[in-house]
Amino acid sequence: MIDAHAHFEFYKREAPRVIAECRKDLRVVVDSITEYRKAHVWKSWELLRPYFGFVIPTLGYHPNEARRGNWEKVKRVEEFILEHKDDIVGIGEIGLDYHYAENERQRENQGEIFRHFLELALELKLPVVIHAREAEREAFEIVQRTGVRAYFHSFAGSVELAREIVENGHVIGINTGVVFIPEVKAVAKAIDVNYFLVETDSPYMSPFKGQRNVPCNVKVAIEWIARLQGIEFEEVERTTEENAVEFFALEVRT
């Protein structure tokens, strides 16, 4: 199994223990190391660097940080990405989050910084990991105008939009929230598994009430896709692994 989107850095001191536990069940975990508040990309990078190989990094700038419009910080993150461009498999997570944007100016900041990092991804010939909350259509249209290939992580938009996304060559992340989010269930049932990556978004989106999520729980997303589509667990596991390897150009055997 491959967890295509998690955040080991948010476990802080517990990260080594959680990583050790996940090695037992997972081939790799793609960690979207993302600038967000005090979770600076350079600090997260140093925390996770000893585990690279099993932990596969992307680098990005979260839209909930982008809403602040701090271009000095954007420049620092951009420079860090350029410094480590040969060690990452994508740019992200980046995107739009209108749930937390408090006014139009913050939405404009998100859009400007989103487009900035999409252009960087285009320059570096890297795919992007998209965070879109209550702005799925807007994010998709911006991606289409830029011309990068995208992974719409933790997708909770409409089935109609999901079809447009995959018809245009992108992929969709079904996370462990499939257990309790109706929109995720609907997409997991309606879209062919050949367009899915599976993820936990750990430590968030736990499928077990009262427990913090961990990447090992990605099997829950696989189980639910298999159940909803009436296919075998092994088929979903194999296909989503292949999809992750192809999308991120991972050097792992599936």
Side-chain angles (χ1 to χ4, degrees):
M1 295 181 289
I2 293 175
D3 184 350
H5 190 96
H7 300 282
F8 280 123
E9 62 274 20
F10 293 151
Y11 296 100
K12 298 181 180 177
R13 293 179 182 178
E14 292 185 68
R17 177 186 61 78
V18 178
I19 291 170
E21 290 175 356
C22 290
R23 281 183 183 272
K24 301 171 187 175
D25 299 318
L26 305 179
R27 294 178 184 272
V28 298
V29 174
V30 180
D31 191 299
S32 285
I33 298 175
T34 305
E35 185 69 17
Y36 185 34
R37 295 180 181 172
K38 294 181 180 180
H40 300 305
V41 292
W42 43 90
K43 291 182 178 179
S44 300
W45 186 273
E46 288 305 310
L47 174 67
L48 298 181
R49 186 168 59 171
Y51 310 101
F52 286 174
F54 174 68
V55 177
I56 308 294
T58 70
L59 283 167
Y61 201 103
H62 199 284
N64 288 335
E65 182 62 35
R67 67 191 171 106
R68 306 174 195 280
N70 186 338
W71 281 90
E72 181 179 345
K73 200 174 188 185
V74 168
K75 188 63 178 176
R76 286 188 69 188
V77 173
E78 180 181 6
E79 289 172 353
F80 191 84
I81 290 172
L82 290 170
E83 181 183 350
H84 297 285
K85 60 184 173 63
D86 295 328
D87 302 311
I88 60 176
V89 295
I91 301 296
E93 60 192 275
I94 56 176
L96 304 173
D97 192 321
Y98 288 175
H99 182 78
Y100 287 108
E102 296 172 356
N103 51 53
E104 190 58 33
R105 178 67 255 182
Q106 290 192 359
R107 291 189 177 193
E108 289 172 2
N109 288 340
Q110 286 185 352
E112 290 166 5
I113 292 172
F114 181 30
R115 286 187 286 271
H116 181 81
F117 283 103
L118 286 173
E119 291 294 338
L120 179 61
L122 199 63
E123 174 188 333
L124 297 179
K125 297 180 172 61
L126 288 170
V128 294
V129 180
I130 302 298
H131 171 113
R133 185 176 185 186
E134 298 178 16
E136 291 86 358
R137 167 64 64 180
E138 292 91 335
F140 169 64
E141 291 176 352
I142 292 171
V143 164
Q144 286 298 95
R145 288 195 291 271
T146 307
V148 295
R149 191 174 181 214
Y151 163 33
F152 287 80
H153 112 82
S154 289
F155 185 78
S158 70
V159 170
E160 291 73 24
L161 179 57
R163 290 198 177 103
E164 284 188 63
I165 286 170
V166 302
E167 285 168 1
N168 282 279
H170 309 295
V171 295
I172 285 174
I174 300 297
N175 69 21
T176 41
V178 68
V179 172
F180 54 87
I181 302 174
E183 292 83 358
V184 179
K185 278 193 181 77
V187 171
K189 183 176 182 179
I191 304 299
D192 193 289
V193 70
N194 287 299
Y195 300 106
F196 287 156
L197 306 188
V198 287
E199 59 168 281
T200 61
D201 201 14
S202 296
Y204 310 109
M205 293 292 173
S206 177
F208 305 115
K209 191 173 182 179
Q211 296 181 26
R212 185 169 59 174
N213 206 4
V214 292
C216 312
N217 288 338
V218 75
K219 64 185 176 185
V220 175
I222 297 173
E223 288 168 351
W224 272 81
I225 294 169
R227 186 183 313 163
L228 289 165
Q229 298 206 7
I231 56 181
E232 294 297 322
F233 177 96
E234 291 76 15
E235 180 181 348
V236 179
E237 179 184 22
R238 181 182 66 255
T239 303
T240 54
E241 282 186 0
E242 291 171 352
N243 296 345
V245 168
E246 187 275 331
F247 181 82
F248 286 116
L250 302 178
E251 295 181 359
V252 297
R253 293 183 179 181
T254 61

